[in-house]
mmCIF file of all heavy atoms in Angstrom:
data_model
loop_
_atom_site.group_PDB
_atom_site.id
_atom_site.type_symbol
_atom_site.label_atom_id
_atom_site.label_comp_id
_atom_site.label_asym_id
_atom_site.label_seq_id
_atom_site.Cartn_x
_atom_site.Cartn_y
_atom_site.Cartn_z
ATOM 1 N N PRO A 17 0.767 -1.135 0.001
ATOM 2 C CA PRO A 17 -0.014 0.008 -0.048
ATOM 3 C C PRO A 17 0.871 1.267 0.002
ATOM 4 O O PRO A 17 1.565 1.595 1.029
ATOM 5 C CB PRO A 17 -0.805 -0.146 1.323
ATOM 6 C CG PRO A 17 0.054 -1.098 2.142
ATOM 7 C CD PRO A 17 0.728 -2.010 1.171
ATOM 8 N N PHE A 18 0.942 1.878 -1.106
ATOM 9 C CA PHE A 18 1.926 2.901 -1.361
ATOM 10 C C PHE A 18 1.304 4.316 -1.811
ATOM 11 O O PHE A 18 0.436 4.215 -2.781
ATOM 12 C CB PHE A 18 3.078 2.432 -2.265
ATOM 13 C CG PHE A 18 4.108 3.427 -2.510
ATOM 14 C CD1 PHE A 18 4.861 3.986 -1.736
ATOM 15 C CD2 PHE A 18 4.411 3.688 -3.979
ATOM 16 C CE1 PHE A 18 5.835 4.855 -2.017
ATOM 17 C CE2 PHE A 18 5.477 4.530 -4.229
ATOM 18 C CZ PHE A 18 6.134 5.121 -3.329
ATOM 19 N N ILE A 19 1.677 5.345 -1.411
ATOM 20 C CA ILE A 19 1.405 6.674 -1.820
ATOM 21 C C ILE A 19 2.624 7.490 -2.199
ATOM 22 O O ILE A 19 3.530 7.637 -1.281
ATOM 23 C CB ILE A 19 0.563 7.376 -0.774
ATOM 24 C CG1 ILE A 19 -0.715 6.788 -0.461
ATOM 25 C CG2 ILE A 19 0.386 8.946 -1.156
ATOM 26 C CD1 ILE A 19 -1.492 7.478 0.679
ATOM 27 N N ASP A 20 2.795 7.795 -3.394
ATOM 28 C CA ASP A 20 3.963 8.604 -3.909
ATOM 29 C C ASP A 20 3.469 9.960 -4.229
ATOM 30 O O ASP A 20 2.617 10.215 -5.175
ATOM 31 C CB ASP A 20 4.617 7.997 -5.083
ATOM 32 C CG ASP A 20 5.733 8.686 -5.703
ATOM 33 O OD1 ASP A 20 6.236 9.497 -4.874
ATOM 34 O OD2 ASP A 20 6.158 8.392 -6.849
ATOM 35 N N LEU A 21 4.028 11.015 -3.487
ATOM 36 C CA LEU A 21 3.558 12.388 -3.693
ATOM 37 C C LEU A 21 4.351 13.066 -4.784
ATOM 38 O O LEU A 21 4.160 14.190 -5.049
ATOM 39 C CB LEU A 21 3.584 13.199 -2.353
ATOM 40 C CG LEU A 21 2.809 12.631 -1.274
ATOM 41 C CD1 LEU A 21 2.767 13.562 -0.123
ATOM 42 C CD2 LEU A 21 1.316 12.382 -1.858
ATOM 43 N N THR A 22 5.377 12.537 -5.220
ATOM 44 C CA THR A 22 6.352 13.140 -6.211
ATOM 45 C C THR A 22 5.578 13.518 -7.546
ATOM 46 O O THR A 22 5.800 14.593 -8.055
ATOM 47 C CB THR A 22 7.506 12.188 -6.548
ATOM 48 O OG1 THR A 22 8.208 11.766 -5.286
ATOM 49 C CG2 THR A 22 8.494 12.905 -7.428
ATOM 50 N N PRO A 23 4.856 12.694 -8.139
ATOM 51 C CA PRO A 23 4.164 13.066 -9.422
ATOM 52 C C PRO A 23 3.257 14.278 -9.165
ATOM 53 O O PRO A 23 3.204 15.138 -9.981
ATOM 54 C CB PRO A 23 3.386 11.791 -9.837
ATOM 55 C CG PRO A 23 4.017 10.692 -9.157
ATOM 56 C CD PRO A 23 4.600 11.279 -7.894
ATOM 57 N N ALA A 24 2.592 14.495 -8.065
ATOM 58 C CA ALA A 24 1.610 15.373 -7.807
ATOM 59 C C ALA A 24 2.406 16.833 -7.657
ATOM 60 O O ALA A 24 2.016 17.854 -8.176
ATOM 61 C CB ALA A 24 0.825 15.224 -6.542
ATOM 62 N N ILE A 25 3.518 16.866 -7.000
ATOM 63 C CA ILE A 25 4.314 18.061 -6.782
ATOM 64 C C ILE A 25 4.887 18.537 -8.059
ATOM 65 O O ILE A 25 5.103 19.726 -8.155
ATOM 66 C CB ILE A 25 5.241 17.821 -5.531
ATOM 67 C CG1 ILE A 25 5.535 19.275 -5.003
ATOM 68 C CG2 ILE A 25 6.537 17.066 -5.985
ATOM 69 C CD1 ILE A 25 6.402 19.220 -3.747
ATOM 70 N N ARG A 26 5.308 17.579 -8.797
ATOM 71 C CA ARG A 26 5.906 17.969 -10.106
ATOM 72 C C ARG A 26 4.932 18.681 -11.098
ATOM 73 O O ARG A 26 5.153 19.285 -11.923
ATOM 74 C CB ARG A 26 6.512 16.773 -10.813
ATOM 75 C CG ARG A 26 7.849 16.283 -10.185
ATOM 76 C CD ARG A 26 8.306 15.028 -10.874
ATOM 77 N NE ARG A 26 9.693 14.672 -10.295
ATOM 78 C CZ ARG A 26 10.195 13.489 -10.571
ATOM 79 N NH1 ARG A 26 9.755 12.671 -11.487
ATOM 80 N NH2 ARG A 26 11.470 13.246 -10.036
ATOM 81 N N GLU A 27 3.619 18.392 -10.817
ATOM 82 C CA GLU A 27 2.584 19.084 -11.625
ATOM 83 C C GLU A 27 2.425 20.578 -11.300
ATOM 84 O O GLU A 27 1.723 21.338 -12.074
ATOM 85 C CB GLU A 27 1.167 18.385 -11.542
ATOM 86 C CG GLU A 27 1.197 16.856 -11.988
ATOM 87 C CD GLU A 27 -0.083 16.234 -11.798
ATOM 88 O OE1 GLU A 27 -1.064 16.872 -11.210
ATOM 89 O OE2 GLU A 27 -0.243 15.181 -12.160
ATOM 90 N N LEU A 28 2.958 20.971 -10.193
ATOM 91 C CA LEU A 28 2.803 22.349 -9.732
ATOM 92 C C LEU A 28 3.863 23.262 -10.432
ATOM 93 O O LEU A 28 4.920 22.788 -10.903
ATOM 94 C CB LEU A 28 2.885 22.567 -8.238
ATOM 95 C CG LEU A 28 1.920 21.627 -7.496
ATOM 96 C CD1 LEU A 28 2.098 21.726 -5.931
ATOM 97 C CD2 LEU A 28 0.462 21.927 -7.880
ATOM 98 N N SER A 29 3.609 24.617 -10.380
ATOM 99 C CA SER A 29 4.526 25.535 -10.936
ATOM 100 C C SER A 29 5.687 25.657 -9.923
ATOM 101 O O SER A 29 5.624 25.423 -8.807
ATOM 102 C CB SER A 29 3.868 26.820 -11.228
ATOM 103 O OG SER A 29 3.448 27.478 -10.004
ATOM 104 N N ALA A 30 6.833 26.154 -10.577
ATOM 105 C CA ALA A 30 8.094 26.416 -9.798
ATOM 106 C C ALA A 30 7.708 27.478 -8.687
ATOM 107 O O ALA A 30 8.205 27.203 -7.500
ATOM 108 C CB ALA A 30 9.131 26.841 -10.662
ATOM 109 N N SER A 31 6.873 28.359 -8.881
ATOM 110 C CA SER A 31 6.656 29.407 -7.877
ATOM 111 C C SER A 31 5.786 28.846 -6.749
ATOM 112 O O SER A 31 5.989 29.126 -5.472
ATOM 113 C CB SER A 31 5.910 30.524 -8.455
ATOM 114 O OG SER A 31 4.621 30.182 -9.120
ATOM 115 N N GLU A 32 4.826 27.915 -7.065
ATOM 116 C CA GLU A 32 4.145 27.189 -6.038
ATOM 117 C C GLU A 32 5.020 26.301 -5.127
ATOM 118 O O GLU A 32 4.998 26.322 -3.954
ATOM 119 C CB GLU A 32 3.059 26.322 -6.711
ATOM 120 C CG GLU A 32 1.851 27.199 -7.218
ATOM 121 C CD GLU A 32 0.885 26.303 -7.926
ATOM 122 O OE1 GLU A 32 1.246 25.648 -8.903
ATOM 123 O OE2 GLU A 32 -0.201 26.234 -7.484
ATOM 124 N N VAL A 33 5.804 25.584 -5.833
ATOM 125 C CA VAL A 33 6.711 24.536 -5.159
ATOM 126 C C VAL A 33 7.685 25.361 -4.160
ATOM 127 O O VAL A 33 8.051 24.849 -3.164
ATOM 128 C CB VAL A 33 7.542 23.672 -6.122
ATOM 129 C CG1 VAL A 33 8.541 22.808 -5.443
ATOM 130 C CG2 VAL A 33 6.510 22.865 -6.836
ATOM 131 N N ALA A 34 8.181 26.488 -4.710
ATOM 132 C CA ALA A 34 9.149 27.219 -3.874
ATOM 133 C C ALA A 34 8.514 27.664 -2.488
ATOM 134 O O ALA A 34 9.315 27.837 -1.525
ATOM 135 C CB ALA A 34 9.462 28.464 -4.612
ATOM 136 N N LEU A 35 7.236 27.802 -2.347
ATOM 137 C CA LEU A 35 6.566 28.095 -1.219
ATOM 138 C C LEU A 35 6.474 26.943 -0.158
ATOM 139 O O LEU A 35 6.259 27.094 0.977
ATOM 140 C CB LEU A 35 5.213 28.713 -1.485
ATOM 141 C CG LEU A 35 4.962 29.922 -2.310
ATOM 142 C CD1 LEU A 35 3.580 30.122 -2.482
ATOM 143 C CD2 LEU A 35 5.751 31.021 -1.605
ATOM 144 N N PHE A 36 6.839 25.738 -0.744
ATOM 145 C CA PHE A 36 6.740 24.526 0.122
ATOM 146 C C PHE A 36 7.881 24.143 0.770
ATOM 147 O O PHE A 36 7.950 23.301 1.821
ATOM 148 C CB PHE A 36 6.443 23.319 -0.791
ATOM 149 C CG PHE A 36 4.933 23.421 -1.326
ATOM 150 C CD1 PHE A 36 4.443 22.475 -2.185
ATOM 151 C CD2 PHE A 36 4.078 24.344 -0.810
ATOM 152 C CE1 PHE A 36 3.248 22.497 -2.750
ATOM 153 C CE2 PHE A 36 2.702 24.503 -1.343
ATOM 154 C CZ PHE A 36 2.247 23.416 -2.311
ATOM 155 N N PHE A 37 9.108 24.769 0.502
ATOM 156 C CA PHE A 37 10.368 24.411 1.161
ATOM 157 C C PHE A 37 11.014 25.673 1.828
ATOM 158 O O PHE A 37 11.054 26.664 1.223
ATOM 159 C CB PHE A 37 11.394 23.850 0.096
ATOM 160 C CG PHE A 37 10.861 22.517 -0.569
ATOM 161 C CD1 PHE A 37 10.132 22.487 -1.777
ATOM 162 C CD2 PHE A 37 11.183 21.419 0.228
ATOM 163 C CE1 PHE A 37 9.613 21.298 -2.127
ATOM 164 C CE2 PHE A 37 10.546 20.206 -0.359
ATOM 165 C CZ PHE A 37 9.960 20.065 -1.486
ATOM 166 N N ILE A 38 11.640 25.433 2.971
ATOM 167 C CA ILE A 38 12.422 26.481 3.660
ATOM 168 C C ILE A 38 13.692 26.882 3.007
ATOM 169 O O ILE A 38 14.281 26.001 2.428
ATOM 170 C CB ILE A 38 12.677 25.982 5.116
ATOM 171 C CG1 ILE A 38 11.422 25.686 5.841
ATOM 172 C CG2 ILE A 38 13.594 27.031 5.816
ATOM 173 C CD1 ILE A 38 11.779 25.041 7.311
ATOM 174 N N ALA A 39 13.806 28.285 2.753
ATOM 175 C CA ALA A 39 14.889 28.707 1.816
ATOM 176 C C ALA A 39 16.271 28.465 2.321
ATOM 177 O O ALA A 39 16.390 28.197 3.491
ATOM 178 C CB ALA A 39 14.645 30.213 1.739
ATOM 179 N N PRO A 40 17.251 28.259 1.499
ATOM 180 C CA PRO A 40 18.728 27.946 1.862
ATOM 181 C C PRO A 40 19.157 29.114 2.760
ATOM 182 O O PRO A 40 18.717 30.364 2.623
ATOM 183 C CB PRO A 40 19.275 28.003 0.460
ATOM 184 C CG PRO A 40 18.328 27.766 -0.510
ATOM 185 C CD PRO A 40 16.995 28.298 -0.053
ATOM 186 N N GLY A 41 19.994 28.791 3.711
ATOM 187 C CA GLY A 41 20.455 29.667 4.635
ATOM 188 C C GLY A 41 19.647 29.736 5.911
ATOM 189 O O GLY A 41 20.215 30.319 6.987
ATOM 190 N N ALA A 42 18.384 29.509 5.817
ATOM 191 C CA ALA A 42 17.499 29.538 6.938
ATOM 192 C C ALA A 42 17.609 28.290 7.742
ATOM 193 O O ALA A 42 17.991 27.286 7.342
ATOM 194 C CB ALA A 42 16.103 29.834 6.596
ATOM 195 N N ARG A 43 17.291 28.456 9.098
ATOM 196 C CA ARG A 43 17.232 27.137 9.954
ATOM 197 C C ARG A 43 16.301 26.128 9.403
ATOM 198 O O ARG A 43 15.165 26.482 8.896
ATOM 199 C CB ARG A 43 16.897 27.538 11.393
ATOM 200 C CG ARG A 43 17.070 26.436 12.406
ATOM 201 C CD ARG A 43 16.855 26.895 13.778
ATOM 202 N NE ARG A 43 17.173 25.858 14.722
ATOM 203 C CZ ARG A 43 17.007 25.826 16.011
ATOM 204 N NH1 ARG A 43 16.548 26.926 16.546
ATOM 205 N NH2 ARG A 43 17.261 24.869 16.842
ATOM 206 N N ALA A 44 16.780 24.900 9.444
ATOM 207 C CA ALA A 44 15.942 23.755 8.855
ATOM 208 C C ALA A 44 15.710 23.931 7.324
ATOM 209 O O ALA A 44 14.669 23.484 6.787
ATOM 210 C CB ALA A 44 14.538 23.700 9.447
ATOM 211 N N GLU A 45 16.663 24.582 6.684
ATOM 212 C CA GLU A 45 16.399 24.815 5.301
ATOM 213 C C GLU A 45 16.346 23.500 4.536
ATOM 214 O O GLU A 45 16.727 22.369 4.895
ATOM 215 C CB GLU A 45 17.813 25.385 4.623
ATOM 216 C CG GLU A 45 19.008 24.601 4.675
ATOM 217 C CD GLU A 45 20.230 25.196 4.041
ATOM 218 O OE1 GLU A 45 20.349 25.055 2.866
ATOM 219 O OE2 GLU A 45 21.017 25.805 4.634
ATOM 220 N N GLY A 46 15.332 23.527 3.483
ATOM 221 C CA GLY A 46 15.123 22.354 2.692
ATOM 222 C C GLY A 46 13.941 21.550 3.189
ATOM 223 O O GLY A 46 13.358 20.797 2.491
ATOM 224 N N HIS A 47 13.510 21.771 4.392
ATOM 225 C CA HIS A 47 12.390 21.031 4.939
ATOM 226 C C HIS A 47 11.085 21.914 4.530
ATOM 227 O O HIS A 47 11.093 22.920 3.930
ATOM 228 C CB HIS A 47 12.540 21.029 6.575
ATOM 229 C CG HIS A 47 13.526 19.940 6.913
ATOM 230 N ND1 HIS A 47 14.862 20.371 6.971
ATOM 231 C CD2 HIS A 47 13.485 18.661 7.297
ATOM 232 C CE1 HIS A 47 15.587 19.349 7.394
ATOM 233 N NE2 HIS A 47 14.759 18.277 7.539
ATOM 234 N N TYR A 48 9.992 21.266 4.874
ATOM 235 C CA TYR A 48 8.666 21.766 4.474
ATOM 236 C C TYR A 48 8.346 23.005 5.211
ATOM 237 O O TYR A 48 8.621 23.060 6.573
ATOM 238 C CB TYR A 48 7.628 20.786 4.642
ATOM 239 C CG TYR A 48 7.673 19.502 3.720
ATOM 240 C CD1 TYR A 48 7.354 18.255 4.236
ATOM 241 C CD2 TYR A 48 7.997 19.605 2.374
ATOM 242 C CE1 TYR A 48 7.451 17.139 3.420
ATOM 243 C CE2 TYR A 48 8.255 18.580 1.556
ATOM 244 C CZ TYR A 48 7.817 17.276 2.125
ATOM 245 O OH TYR A 48 7.990 16.214 1.285
ATOM 246 N N THR A 49 7.850 23.964 4.624
ATOM 247 C CA THR A 49 7.291 25.130 5.183
ATOM 248 C C THR A 49 5.898 24.802 5.796
ATOM 249 O O THR A 49 5.460 23.751 5.600
ATOM 250 C CB THR A 49 7.185 26.344 4.286
ATOM 251 O OG1 THR A 49 6.259 25.965 3.221
ATOM 252 C CG2 THR A 49 8.633 26.681 3.706
ATOM 253 N N GLU A 50 5.277 25.796 6.362
ATOM 254 C CA GLU A 50 3.852 25.485 7.002
ATOM 255 C C GLU A 50 2.970 25.124 5.674
ATOM 256 O O GLU A 50 2.208 24.206 5.792
ATOM 257 C CB GLU A 50 3.373 26.791 7.563
ATOM 258 C CG GLU A 50 4.040 27.099 8.930
ATOM 259 C CD GLU A 50 3.545 28.310 9.651
ATOM 260 O OE1 GLU A 50 2.630 28.980 9.053
ATOM 261 O OE2 GLU A 50 3.903 28.596 10.733
ATOM 262 N N ALA A 51 3.198 25.903 4.538
ATOM 263 C CA ALA A 51 2.432 25.619 3.352
ATOM 264 C C ALA A 51 2.707 24.336 2.855
ATOM 265 O O ALA A 51 1.873 23.518 2.355
ATOM 266 C CB ALA A 51 2.757 26.738 2.371
ATOM 267 N N GLY A 52 4.014 23.906 2.845
ATOM 268 C CA GLY A 52 4.419 22.497 2.334
ATOM 269 C C GLY A 52 3.880 21.490 3.226
ATOM 270 O O GLY A 52 3.271 20.449 2.690
ATOM 271 N N ASN A 53 3.962 21.509 4.554
ATOM 272 C CA ASN A 53 3.227 20.650 5.437
ATOM 273 C C ASN A 53 1.757 20.414 5.165
ATOM 274 O O ASN A 53 1.244 19.444 5.189
ATOM 275 C CB ASN A 53 3.509 20.919 6.829
ATOM 276 C CG ASN A 53 4.865 20.535 7.310
ATOM 277 O OD1 ASN A 53 5.027 19.227 7.626
ATOM 278 N ND2 ASN A 53 5.905 21.277 7.392
ATOM 279 N N GLN A 54 1.138 21.605 4.968
ATOM 280 C CA GLN A 54 -0.381 21.572 4.781
ATOM 281 C C GLN A 54 -0.656 20.896 3.470
ATOM 282 O O GLN A 54 -1.571 20.107 3.287
ATOM 283 C CB GLN A 54 -0.804 22.995 4.701
ATOM 284 C CG GLN A 54 -2.199 23.197 4.549
ATOM 285 C CD GLN A 54 -2.827 24.659 4.627
ATOM 286 O OE1 GLN A 54 -2.027 25.490 4.810
ATOM 287 N NE2 GLN A 54 -4.062 24.742 4.144
ATOM 288 N N TRP A 55 0.175 21.093 2.415
ATOM 289 C CA TRP A 55 0.015 20.416 1.128
ATOM 290 C C TRP A 55 0.175 19.035 1.304
ATOM 291 O O TRP A 55 -0.752 18.157 0.798
ATOM 292 C CB TRP A 55 0.934 21.000 0.074
ATOM 293 C CG TRP A 55 0.819 20.333 -1.271
ATOM 294 C CD1 TRP A 55 -0.093 20.749 -2.215
ATOM 295 C CD2 TRP A 55 1.530 19.291 -1.783
ATOM 296 N NE1 TRP A 55 0.043 19.929 -3.437
ATOM 297 C CE2 TRP A 55 1.023 18.967 -3.079
ATOM 298 C CE3 TRP A 55 2.514 18.520 -1.311
ATOM 299 C CZ2 TRP A 55 1.466 17.952 -3.829
ATOM 300 C CZ3 TRP A 55 2.988 17.459 -2.091
ATOM 301 C CH2 TRP A 55 2.386 17.159 -3.307
ATOM 302 N N VAL A 56 1.134 18.481 1.983
ATOM 303 C CA VAL A 56 1.430 17.061 2.281
ATOM 304 C C VAL A 56 0.210 16.533 3.035
ATOM 305 O O VAL A 56 -0.221 15.433 2.539
ATOM 306 C CB VAL A 56 2.782 16.795 2.959
ATOM 307 C CG1 VAL A 56 2.770 15.418 3.401
ATOM 308 C CG2 VAL A 56 3.952 17.188 2.122
ATOM 309 N N ALA A 57 -0.293 17.028 4.006
ATOM 310 C CA ALA A 57 -1.286 16.535 4.799
ATOM 311 C C ALA A 57 -2.562 16.442 3.982
ATOM 312 O O ALA A 57 -3.258 15.478 4.032
ATOM 313 C CB ALA A 57 -1.563 17.387 6.040
ATOM 314 N N THR A 58 -2.834 17.443 3.183
ATOM 315 C CA THR A 58 -3.994 17.413 2.351
ATOM 316 C C THR A 58 -3.876 16.266 1.396
ATOM 317 O O THR A 58 -4.947 15.535 1.021
ATOM 318 C CB THR A 58 -4.348 18.756 1.619
ATOM 319 O OG1 THR A 58 -4.274 19.804 2.641
ATOM 320 C CG2 THR A 58 -5.597 18.784 0.863
ATOM 321 N N GLN A 59 -2.786 16.098 0.712
ATOM 322 C CA GLN A 59 -2.590 15.052 -0.206
ATOM 323 C C GLN A 59 -2.741 13.597 0.310
ATOM 324 O O GLN A 59 -3.364 12.842 -0.225
ATOM 325 C CB GLN A 59 -1.270 15.262 -0.939
ATOM 326 C CG GLN A 59 -0.932 16.413 -1.724
ATOM 327 C CD GLN A 59 -1.768 16.372 -3.014
ATOM 328 O OE1 GLN A 59 -1.809 15.418 -3.710
ATOM 329 N NE2 GLN A 59 -2.398 17.617 -3.310
ATOM 330 N N VAL A 60 -2.098 13.530 1.554
ATOM 331 C CA VAL A 60 -2.103 12.138 2.214
ATOM 332 C C VAL A 60 -3.628 11.890 2.515
ATOM 333 O O VAL A 60 -4.093 10.748 2.450
ATOM 334 C CB VAL A 60 -1.310 12.191 3.474
ATOM 335 C CG1 VAL A 60 -1.472 10.992 4.242
ATOM 336 C CG2 VAL A 60 0.275 12.149 3.017
ATOM 337 N N TYR A 61 -4.357 12.853 3.098
ATOM 338 C CA TYR A 61 -5.726 12.579 3.498
ATOM 339 C C TYR A 61 -6.513 12.194 2.396
ATOM 340 O O TYR A 61 -7.455 11.275 2.472
ATOM 341 C CB TYR A 61 -6.255 13.920 4.209
ATOM 342 C CG TYR A 61 -7.629 13.755 4.734
ATOM 343 C CD1 TYR A 61 -7.959 13.015 5.822
ATOM 344 C CD2 TYR A 61 -8.749 14.229 3.966
ATOM 345 C CE1 TYR A 61 -9.178 12.909 6.374
ATOM 346 C CE2 TYR A 61 -10.110 14.145 4.507
ATOM 347 C CZ TYR A 61 -10.340 13.353 5.543
ATOM 348 O OH TYR A 61 -11.535 13.318 6.101
ATOM 349 N N ALA A 62 -6.332 12.914 1.231
ATOM 350 C CA ALA A 62 -7.203 12.650 0.085
ATOM 351 C C ALA A 62 -6.928 11.089 -0.405
ATOM 352 O O ALA A 62 -7.805 10.390 -0.822
ATOM 353 C CB ALA A 62 -6.920 13.645 -1.026
ATOM 354 N N ARG A 63 -5.650 10.675 -0.275
ATOM 355 C CA ARG A 63 -5.327 9.372 -0.760
ATOM 356 C C ARG A 63 -5.728 8.357 0.228
ATOM 357 O O ARG A 63 -6.147 7.103 -0.270
ATOM 358 C CB ARG A 63 -3.781 9.317 -1.162
ATOM 359 C CG ARG A 63 -3.509 10.077 -2.368
ATOM 360 C CD ARG A 63 -2.013 10.306 -2.545
ATOM 361 N NE ARG A 63 -1.631 10.766 -3.884
ATOM 362 C CZ ARG A 63 -1.580 12.041 -4.250
ATOM 363 N NH1 ARG A 63 -2.223 12.808 -3.369
ATOM 364 N NH2 ARG A 63 -1.301 12.328 -5.429
#
């Protein structure tokens, strides 16, 4: 039983995806922002 979120995030624009990850140089860089976590939760729930 597998859910892969990669295809879904690749369908988004670069500007949308940029909002999902903490910017380089910031603490926890590369991890999900609040918007990124919200997107993941919504995607997981739907699946």
Side-chain angles (χ1 to χ4, degrees):
F18 179 54
I19 295 173
D20 178 16
L21 299 186
T22 307
I25 201 170
R26 286 177 174 174
E27 293 178 357
L28 303 177
S29 66
S31 58
E32 289 177 298
V33 173
L35 299 176
F36 291 172
F37 295 95
I38 298 174
R43 186 171 186 184
E45 65 175 277
H47 289 83
Y48 296 137
T49 60
E50 293 178 355
N53 277 280
Q54 183 177 353
W55 181 84
V56 170
T58 306
Q59 295 288 319
V60 169
Y61 181 78
R63 286 168 168 77

